[in-house]
mmCIF file of all heavy atoms in Angstrom:
data_model
loop_
_atom_site.group_PDB
_atom_site.id
_atom_site.type_symbol
_atom_site.label_atom_id
_atom_site.label_comp_id
_atom_site.label_asym_id
_atom_site.label_seq_id
_atom_site.Cartn_x
_atom_site.Cartn_y
_atom_site.Cartn_z
ATOM 1 N N ILE A 149 -28.352 3.691 -2.770
ATOM 2 C CA ILE A 149 -27.328 3.719 -3.821
ATOM 3 C C ILE A 149 -27.281 5.140 -4.375
ATOM 4 O O ILE A 149 -28.330 5.711 -4.699
ATOM 5 C CB ILE A 149 -27.685 2.704 -4.933
ATOM 6 C CG1 ILE A 149 -27.747 1.290 -4.341
ATOM 7 C CG2 ILE A 149 -26.682 2.769 -6.083
ATOM 8 C CD1 ILE A 149 -28.299 0.238 -5.280
ATOM 9 N N VAL A 150 -26.076 5.724 -4.449
ATOM 10 C CA VAL A 150 -25.970 7.141 -4.842
ATOM 11 C C VAL A 150 -24.999 7.329 -6.015
ATOM 12 O O VAL A 150 -24.131 6.491 -6.254
ATOM 13 C CB VAL A 150 -25.557 8.027 -3.632
ATOM 14 C CG1 VAL A 150 -26.656 8.057 -2.580
ATOM 15 C CG2 VAL A 150 -24.247 7.578 -3.018
ATOM 16 N N PRO A 151 -25.135 8.458 -6.745
ATOM 17 C CA PRO A 151 -24.344 8.689 -7.960
ATOM 18 C C PRO A 151 -23.079 9.512 -7.703
ATOM 19 O O PRO A 151 -22.793 9.884 -6.576
ATOM 20 C CB PRO A 151 -25.313 9.482 -8.828
ATOM 21 C CG PRO A 151 -26.077 10.315 -7.853
ATOM 22 C CD PRO A 151 -26.166 9.509 -6.570
ATOM 23 N N PHE A 152 -22.387 9.836 -8.819
ATOM 24 C CA PHE A 152 -21.033 10.376 -8.693
ATOM 25 C C PHE A 152 -20.942 11.891 -8.542
ATOM 26 O O PHE A 152 -19.885 12.413 -8.199
ATOM 27 C CB PHE A 152 -20.199 9.957 -9.912
ATOM 28 C CG PHE A 152 -20.618 10.613 -11.208
ATOM 29 C CD1 PHE A 152 -20.312 11.940 -11.473
ATOM 30 C CD2 PHE A 152 -21.314 9.899 -12.180
ATOM 31 C CE1 PHE A 152 -20.699 12.545 -12.664
ATOM 32 C CE2 PHE A 152 -21.706 10.491 -13.372
ATOM 33 C CZ PHE A 152 -21.392 11.817 -13.610
ATOM 34 N N ASN A 153 -22.004 12.622 -8.799
ATOM 35 C CA ASN A 153 -21.810 14.077 -8.942
ATOM 36 C C ASN A 153 -21.623 14.831 -7.628
ATOM 37 O O ASN A 153 -20.912 15.827 -7.592
ATOM 38 C CB ASN A 153 -22.918 14.707 -9.806
ATOM 39 C CG ASN A 153 -24.315 14.371 -9.340
ATOM 40 O OD1 ASN A 153 -24.547 13.319 -8.775
ATOM 41 N ND2 ASN A 153 -25.247 15.266 -9.581
ATOM 42 N N PHE A 158 -24.553 13.352 -1.110
ATOM 43 C CA PHE A 158 -25.605 12.339 -1.249
ATOM 44 C C PHE A 158 -25.445 11.219 -0.233
ATOM 45 O O PHE A 158 -26.429 10.701 0.293
ATOM 46 C CB PHE A 158 -25.621 11.767 -2.666
ATOM 47 C CG PHE A 158 -26.172 12.726 -3.687
ATOM 48 C CD1 PHE A 158 -25.596 12.837 -4.940
ATOM 49 C CD2 PHE A 158 -27.266 13.523 -3.407
ATOM 50 C CE1 PHE A 158 -26.098 13.728 -5.881
ATOM 51 C CE2 PHE A 158 -27.782 14.416 -4.342
ATOM 52 C CZ PHE A 158 -27.193 14.516 -5.589
ATOM 53 N N LYS A 176 -24.282 2.215 -0.918
ATOM 54 C CA LYS A 176 -23.240 2.059 -1.942
ATOM 55 C C LYS A 176 -22.918 3.401 -2.590
ATOM 56 O O LYS A 176 -23.744 3.992 -3.264
ATOM 57 C CB LYS A 176 -23.667 1.091 -3.057
ATOM 58 C CG LYS A 176 -22.471 0.772 -3.963
ATOM 59 C CD LYS A 176 -22.838 0.099 -5.251
ATOM 60 C CE LYS A 176 -22.895 1.021 -6.445
ATOM 61 N NZ LYS A 176 -21.645 1.737 -6.763
ATOM 62 N N PRO A 177 -21.696 3.901 -2.394
ATOM 63 C CA PRO A 177 -21.265 5.136 -3.064
ATOM 64 C C PRO A 177 -20.917 4.840 -4.533
ATOM 65 O O PRO A 177 -20.817 3.684 -4.934
ATOM 66 C CB PRO A 177 -20.006 5.545 -2.285
ATOM 67 C CG PRO A 177 -19.910 4.599 -1.126
ATOM 68 C CD PRO A 177 -20.679 3.377 -1.493
ATOM 69 N N PRO A 178 -20.687 5.896 -5.329
ATOM 70 C CA PRO A 178 -20.376 5.678 -6.754
ATOM 71 C C PRO A 178 -18.961 5.146 -6.948
ATOM 72 O O PRO A 178 -18.039 5.561 -6.253
ATOM 73 C CB PRO A 178 -20.497 7.081 -7.342
ATOM 74 C CG PRO A 178 -20.195 7.994 -6.197
ATOM 75 C CD PRO A 178 -20.729 7.317 -4.976
ATOM 76 N N GLU A 179 -18.815 4.276 -7.908
ATOM 77 C CA GLU A 179 -17.490 3.677 -8.178
ATOM 78 C C GLU A 179 -16.508 4.720 -8.718
ATOM 79 O O GLU A 179 -15.319 4.673 -8.435
ATOM 80 C CB GLU A 179 -17.708 2.512 -9.160
ATOM 81 C CG GLU A 179 -16.488 1.956 -9.837
ATOM 82 C CD GLU A 179 -16.239 2.597 -11.193
ATOM 83 O OE1 GLU A 179 -17.195 2.879 -11.938
ATOM 84 O OE2 GLU A 179 -15.055 2.835 -11.480
ATOM 85 N N GLN A 180 -17.014 5.717 -9.475
ATOM 86 C CA GLN A 180 -16.102 6.711 -10.091
ATOM 87 C C GLN A 180 -15.505 7.659 -9.050
ATOM 88 O O GLN A 180 -14.410 8.169 -9.252
ATOM 89 C CB GLN A 180 -16.830 7.577 -11.133
ATOM 90 C CG GLN A 180 -17.496 6.828 -12.261
ATOM 91 C CD GLN A 180 -18.951 6.528 -11.919
ATOM 92 O OE1 GLN A 180 -19.288 6.246 -10.783
ATOM 93 N NE2 GLN A 180 -19.809 6.557 -12.927
ATOM 94 N N GLY A 206 -18.005 -0.313 -4.719
ATOM 95 C CA GLY A 206 -17.888 -1.266 -5.825
ATOM 96 C C GLY A 206 -18.733 -0.811 -6.993
ATOM 97 O O GLY A 206 -19.363 0.244 -6.961
ATOM 98 N N ASN A 207 -18.740 -1.621 -8.032
ATOM 99 C CA ASN A 207 -19.513 -1.288 -9.232
ATOM 100 C C ASN A 207 -20.999 -1.574 -9.039
ATOM 101 O O ASN A 207 -21.383 -2.305 -8.122
ATOM 102 C CB ASN A 207 -18.998 -2.126 -10.404
ATOM 103 C CG ASN A 207 -17.716 -1.563 -10.973
ATOM 104 O OD1 ASN A 207 -17.625 -0.365 -11.261
ATOM 105 N ND2 ASN A 207 -16.714 -2.403 -11.127
ATOM 106 N N GLY A 208 -21.776 -1.009 -9.972
ATOM 107 C CA GLY A 208 -23.211 -1.304 -9.978
ATOM 108 C C GLY A 208 -23.433 -2.806 -9.996
ATOM 109 O O GLY A 208 -24.256 -3.347 -9.253
ATOM 110 N N MET A 209 -22.676 -3.474 -10.862
ATOM 111 C CA MET A 209 -22.646 -4.940 -10.907
ATOM 112 C C MET A 209 -21.280 -5.382 -10.411
ATOM 113 O O MET A 209 -20.291 -4.949 -11.021
ATOM 114 C CB MET A 209 -22.825 -5.461 -12.340
ATOM 115 C CG MET A 209 -24.200 -5.272 -12.888
ATOM 116 S SD MET A 209 -25.253 -6.556 -12.199
ATOM 117 C CE MET A 209 -26.790 -6.139 -13.029
ATOM 118 N N GLY A 212 -24.033 -3.026 -6.350
ATOM 119 C CA GLY A 212 -25.359 -2.407 -6.258
ATOM 120 C C GLY A 212 -26.461 -3.440 -6.457
ATOM 121 O O GLY A 212 -27.459 -3.474 -5.716
ATOM 122 N N ASP A 213 -26.242 -4.301 -7.441
ATOM 123 C CA ASP A 213 -27.251 -5.312 -7.762
ATOM 124 C C ASP A 213 -27.471 -6.263 -6.579
ATOM 125 O O ASP A 213 -28.606 -6.675 -6.301
ATOM 126 C CB ASP A 213 -26.787 -6.088 -9.005
ATOM 127 C CG ASP A 213 -27.842 -7.038 -9.514
ATOM 128 O OD1 ASP A 213 -28.935 -6.563 -9.882
ATOM 129 O OD2 ASP A 213 -27.592 -8.259 -9.519
ATOM 130 N N VAL A 216 -29.754 -4.599 -4.132
ATOM 131 C CA VAL A 216 -31.143 -4.553 -4.609
ATOM 132 C C VAL A 216 -31.815 -5.915 -4.481
ATOM 133 O O VAL A 216 -32.985 -6.025 -4.095
ATOM 134 C CB VAL A 216 -31.169 -4.063 -6.077
ATOM 135 C CG1 VAL A 216 -32.556 -4.196 -6.677
ATOM 136 C CG2 VAL A 216 -30.678 -2.625 -6.158
ATOM 137 N N PHE A 226 -32.821 5.004 -4.467
ATOM 138 C CA PHE A 226 -31.770 5.116 -5.482
ATOM 139 C C PHE A 226 -31.738 6.530 -6.038
ATOM 140 O O PHE A 226 -32.781 7.114 -6.343
ATOM 141 C CB PHE A 226 -32.068 4.121 -6.614
ATOM 142 C CG PHE A 226 -31.179 4.314 -7.820
ATOM 143 C CD1 PHE A 226 -29.838 3.973 -7.763
ATOM 144 C CD2 PHE A 226 -31.685 4.857 -8.992
ATOM 145 C CE1 PHE A 226 -29.010 4.166 -8.865
ATOM 146 C CE2 PHE A 226 -30.867 5.049 -10.098
ATOM 147 C CZ PHE A 226 -29.525 4.703 -10.036
ATOM 148 N N THR A 227 -30.545 7.075 -6.179
ATOM 149 C CA THR A 227 -30.353 8.334 -6.905
ATOM 150 C C THR A 227 -29.393 8.035 -8.045
ATOM 151 O O THR A 227 -28.292 7.524 -7.805
ATOM 152 C CB THR A 227 -29.762 9.419 -5.977
ATOM 153 O OG1 THR A 227 -30.591 9.535 -4.821
ATOM 154 C CG2 THR A 227 -29.710 10.768 -6.682
ATOM 155 N N GLY A 228 -29.809 8.345 -9.269
ATOM 156 C CA GLY A 228 -28.958 8.049 -10.419
ATOM 157 C C GLY A 228 -29.738 8.218 -11.709
ATOM 158 O O GLY A 228 -30.712 8.979 -11.777
ATOM 159 N N SER A 229 -29.326 7.467 -12.724
ATOM 160 C CA SER A 229 -29.893 7.672 -14.060
ATOM 161 C C SER A 229 -31.180 6.863 -14.256
ATOM 162 O O SER A 229 -31.428 5.882 -13.541
ATOM 163 C CB SER A 229 -28.872 7.261 -15.116
ATOM 164 O OG SER A 229 -28.639 5.876 -15.022
ATOM 165 N N VAL A 230 -31.941 7.242 -15.270
ATOM 166 C CA VAL A 230 -33.199 6.539 -15.566
ATOM 167 C C VAL A 230 -32.944 5.069 -15.925
ATOM 168 O O VAL A 230 -33.611 4.176 -15.370
ATOM 169 C CB VAL A 230 -33.977 7.271 -16.685
ATOM 170 C CG1 VAL A 230 -35.199 6.459 -17.110
ATOM 171 C CG2 VAL A 230 -34.386 8.663 -16.215
ATOM 172 N N THR A 232 -30.606 3.023 -15.020
ATOM 173 C CA THR A 232 -30.277 2.236 -13.823
ATOM 174 C C THR A 232 -31.498 2.128 -12.916
ATOM 175 O O THR A 232 -31.748 1.069 -12.323
ATOM 176 C CB THR A 232 -29.089 2.852 -13.049
ATOM 177 O OG1 THR A 232 -28.025 3.087 -13.960
ATOM 178 C CG2 THR A 232 -28.602 1.943 -11.939
ATOM 179 N N ALA A 235 -33.498 -0.622 -14.239
ATOM 180 C CA ALA A 235 -32.851 -1.922 -13.952
ATOM 181 C C ALA A 235 -33.094 -2.313 -12.499
ATOM 182 O O ALA A 235 -33.339 -3.491 -12.183
ATOM 183 C CB ALA A 235 -31.355 -1.839 -14.246
ATOM 184 N N ILE A 236 -33.054 -1.326 -11.609
ATOM 185 C CA ILE A 236 -33.268 -1.609 -10.182
ATOM 186 C C ILE A 236 -34.710 -2.043 -9.936
ATOM 187 O O ILE A 236 -34.967 -2.990 -9.186
ATOM 188 C CB ILE A 236 -32.869 -0.371 -9.346
ATOM 189 C CG1 ILE A 236 -31.332 -0.293 -9.297
ATOM 190 C CG2 ILE A 236 -33.473 -0.401 -7.939
ATOM 191 C CD1 ILE A 236 -30.778 0.941 -8.631
ATOM 192 N N GLU A 251 -34.705 8.877 -7.394
ATOM 193 C CA GLU A 251 -34.389 10.270 -7.749
ATOM 194 C C GLU A 251 -33.555 10.185 -9.013
ATOM 195 O O GLU A 251 -32.369 9.830 -8.962
ATOM 196 C CB GLU A 251 -33.572 10.932 -6.633
ATOM 197 C CG GLU A 251 -34.358 11.251 -5.389
ATOM 198 C CD GLU A 251 -35.299 12.425 -5.573
ATOM 199 O OE1 GLU A 251 -35.164 13.181 -6.563
ATOM 200 O OE2 GLU A 251 -36.194 12.593 -4.729
ATOM 201 N N LEU A 252 -34.140 10.525 -10.148
ATOM 202 C CA LEU A 252 -33.473 10.227 -11.424
ATOM 203 C C LEU A 252 -33.121 11.503 -12.197
ATOM 204 O O LEU A 252 -33.086 12.583 -11.630
ATOM 205 C CB LEU A 252 -34.354 9.277 -12.235
ATOM 206 C CG LEU A 252 -34.761 7.995 -11.492
ATOM 207 C CD1 LEU A 252 -35.661 7.122 -12.327
ATOM 208 C CD2 LEU A 252 -33.534 7.209 -11.026
ATOM 209 N N GLY A 253 -32.877 11.358 -13.462
ATOM 210 C CA GLY A 253 -32.329 12.449 -14.265
ATOM 211 C C GLY A 253 -33.344 13.530 -14.619
ATOM 212 O O GLY A 253 -34.542 13.413 -14.322
ATOM 213 N N GLY A 254 -32.836 14.573 -15.241
ATOM 214 C CA GLY A 254 -33.702 15.669 -15.661
ATOM 215 C C GLY A 254 -33.243 16.256 -16.989
ATOM 216 O O GLY A 254 -32.080 16.115 -17.389
ATOM 217 N N CYS A 286 -28.439 17.049 -11.514
ATOM 218 C CA CYS A 286 -29.741 16.599 -12.028
ATOM 219 C C CYS A 286 -30.679 17.777 -12.257
ATOM 220 O O CYS A 286 -31.534 17.749 -13.128
ATOM 221 C CB CYS A 286 -30.374 15.626 -11.050
ATOM 222 S SG CYS A 286 -30.584 16.341 -9.406
ATOM 223 N N ARG A 332 -15.446 7.458 -19.250
ATOM 224 C CA ARG A 332 -16.666 6.895 -19.841
ATOM 225 C C ARG A 332 -17.724 7.983 -20.019
ATOM 226 O O ARG A 332 -18.377 8.110 -21.051
ATOM 227 C CB ARG A 332 -17.192 5.779 -18.925
ATOM 228 C CG ARG A 332 -18.273 4.927 -19.550
ATOM 229 C CD ARG A 332 -18.709 3.845 -18.587
ATOM 230 N NE ARG A 332 -19.243 4.416 -17.361
ATOM 231 C CZ ARG A 332 -19.593 3.713 -16.286
ATOM 232 N NH1 ARG A 332 -19.453 2.430 -16.268
ATOM 233 N NH2 ARG A 332 -20.088 4.302 -15.217
ATOM 234 N N GLU A 387 -31.240 13.609 -21.469
ATOM 235 C CA GLU A 387 -30.320 14.229 -20.506
ATOM 236 C C GLU A 387 -28.869 14.009 -20.973
ATOM 237 O O GLU A 387 -28.476 12.884 -21.280
ATOM 238 C CB GLU A 387 -30.504 13.585 -19.126
ATOM 239 C CG GLU A 387 -29.616 14.221 -18.077
ATOM 240 C CD GLU A 387 -29.698 13.517 -16.716
ATOM 241 O OE1 GLU A 387 -29.656 12.277 -16.682
ATOM 242 O OE2 GLU A 387 -29.784 14.217 -15.701
ATOM 243 N N PHE A 389 -26.216 15.530 -19.086
ATOM 244 C CA PHE A 389 -25.476 15.524 -17.816
ATOM 245 C C PHE A 389 -24.030 15.984 -18.046
ATOM 246 O O PHE A 389 -23.062 15.369 -17.606
ATOM 247 C CB PHE A 389 -25.513 14.130 -17.187
ATOM 248 C CG PHE A 389 -25.495 14.171 -15.677
ATOM 249 C CD1 PHE A 389 -26.462 14.865 -14.976
ATOM 250 C CD2 PHE A 389 -24.513 13.513 -14.948
ATOM 251 C CE1 PHE A 389 -26.455 14.908 -13.577
ATOM 252 C CE2 PHE A 389 -24.498 13.547 -13.553
ATOM 253 C CZ PHE A 389 -25.466 14.253 -12.880
ATOM 254 N N LEU A 415 -38.215 16.681 -13.827
ATOM 255 C CA LEU A 415 -37.632 16.923 -12.499
ATOM 256 C C LEU A 415 -37.878 18.360 -12.048
ATOM 257 O O LEU A 415 -38.684 18.614 -11.177
ATOM 258 C CB LEU A 415 -36.135 16.590 -12.519
ATOM 259 C CG LEU A 415 -35.449 16.539 -11.148
ATOM 260 C CD1 LEU A 415 -36.108 15.543 -10.226
ATOM 261 C CD2 LEU A 415 -33.965 16.203 -11.304
ATOM 262 N N PHE A 453 -38.632 17.371 -2.657
ATOM 263 C CA PHE A 453 -37.927 17.393 -3.942
ATOM 264 C C PHE A 453 -38.057 16.036 -4.614
ATOM 265 O O PHE A 453 -37.841 14.998 -3.994
ATOM 266 C CB PHE A 453 -36.434 17.702 -3.726
ATOM 267 C CG PHE A 453 -35.641 17.737 -5.020
ATOM 268 C CD1 PHE A 453 -35.591 18.893 -5.776
ATOM 269 C CD2 PHE A 453 -34.988 16.608 -5.489
ATOM 270 C CE1 PHE A 453 -34.890 18.929 -6.979
ATOM 271 C CE2 PHE A 453 -34.284 16.641 -6.689
ATOM 272 C CZ PHE A 453 -34.235 17.803 -7.421
ATOM 273 N N SER A 459 -38.498 11.001 -14.244
ATOM 274 C CA SER A 459 -37.491 11.593 -13.344
ATOM 275 C C SER A 459 -37.572 11.063 -11.924
ATOM 276 O O SER A 459 -36.731 11.425 -11.097
ATOM 277 C CB SER A 459 -37.616 13.124 -13.326
ATOM 278 O OG SER A 459 -37.105 13.657 -14.522
HETATM 279 P P1 LIG B 501 -25.919 5.730 -12.641
HETATM 280 O O1 LIG B 501 -25.001 5.276 -13.702
HETATM 281 O O2 LIG B 501 -27.349 5.386 -12.749
HETATM 282 O O3 LIG B 501 -25.306 5.192 -11.263
HETATM 283 C C1 LIG B 501 -25.813 5.568 -10.016
HETATM 284 C C2 LIG B 501 -25.432 4.517 -8.991
HETATM 285 O O4 LIG B 501 -26.057 3.278 -9.317
HETATM 286 C C3 LIG B 501 -23.939 4.231 -8.949
HETATM 287 O O5 LIG B 501 -23.561 4.012 -7.622
HETATM 288 C C4 LIG B 501 -23.856 2.977 -9.793
HETATM 289 O O6 LIG B 501 -22.717 2.207 -9.582
HETATM 290 C C5 LIG B 501 -25.097 2.238 -9.370
HETATM 291 N N1 LIG B 501 -25.543 1.202 -10.305
HETATM 292 C C6 LIG B 501 -25.277 1.083 -11.630
HETATM 293 N N2 LIG B 501 -25.892 0.002 -12.130
HETATM 294 C C7 LIG B 501 -26.563 -0.592 -11.103
HETATM 295 C C8 LIG B 501 -27.393 -1.757 -10.991
HETATM 296 N N3 LIG B 501 -27.689 -2.516 -12.037
HETATM 297 N N4 LIG B 501 -27.911 -2.051 -9.781
HETATM 298 C C9 LIG B 501 -27.658 -1.272 -8.705
HETATM 299 N N5 LIG B 501 -26.861 -0.174 -8.751
HETATM 300 C C10 LIG B 501 -26.336 0.170 -9.942
HETATM 301 O O7 LIG B 501 -25.869 7.306 -12.481
HETATM 302 P P2 LIG B 501 -24.583 8.235 -12.477
HETATM 303 O O8 LIG B 501 -24.027 8.294 -13.840
HETATM 304 O O9 LIG B 501 -23.707 7.856 -11.340
HETATM 305 O O10 LIG B 501 -25.250 9.627 -12.079
HETATM 306 C C11 LIG B 501 -25.833 10.486 -12.989
HETATM 307 C C12 LIG B 501 -27.330 10.363 -13.001
HETATM 308 O O11 LIG B 501 -27.861 10.581 -11.696
HETATM 309 C C13 LIG B 501 -27.964 11.444 -13.874
HETATM 310 O O12 LIG B 501 -28.993 10.872 -14.625
HETATM 311 C C14 LIG B 501 -28.501 12.437 -12.868
HETATM 312 O O13 LIG B 501 -29.546 13.250 -13.347
HETATM 313 C C15 LIG B 501 -28.941 11.528 -11.777
HETATM 314 N N6 LIG B 501 -29.095 12.245 -10.511
HETATM 315 C C16 LIG B 501 -30.351 12.461 -10.029
HETATM 316 C C17 LIG B 501 -30.517 13.213 -8.863
HETATM 317 C C18 LIG B 501 -31.878 13.514 -8.299
HETATM 318 O O14 LIG B 501 -31.955 13.939 -7.146
HETATM 319 N N7 LIG B 501 -32.949 13.345 -9.040
HETATM 320 C C19 LIG B 501 -29.399 13.689 -8.197
HETATM 321 C C20 LIG B 501 -28.143 13.434 -8.727
HETATM 322 C C21 LIG B 501 -27.994 12.709 -9.882
HETATM 323 P P3 LIG B 501 -21.324 2.571 -10.310
HETATM 324 O O15 LIG B 501 -20.522 3.015 -9.210
HETATM 325 O O16 LIG B 501 -20.844 1.316 -10.928
HETATM 326 O O17 LIG B 501 -21.583 3.617 -11.335
#
Side-chain angles (χ1 to χ4, degrees):
I149 300 171
V150 293
F152 69 75
N153 53 330
F158 287 140
K176 190 193 100 59
E179 166 266 322
Q180 303 92 323
N207 281 310
M209 289 281 181
D213 187 61
V216 172
F226 170 71
T227 306
S229 65
V230 173
T232 309
I236 285 174
E251 287 287 345
L252 306 178
C286 58
R332 192 179 60 186
E387 182 185 45
F389 212 57
L415 191 57
F453 180 85
S459 286

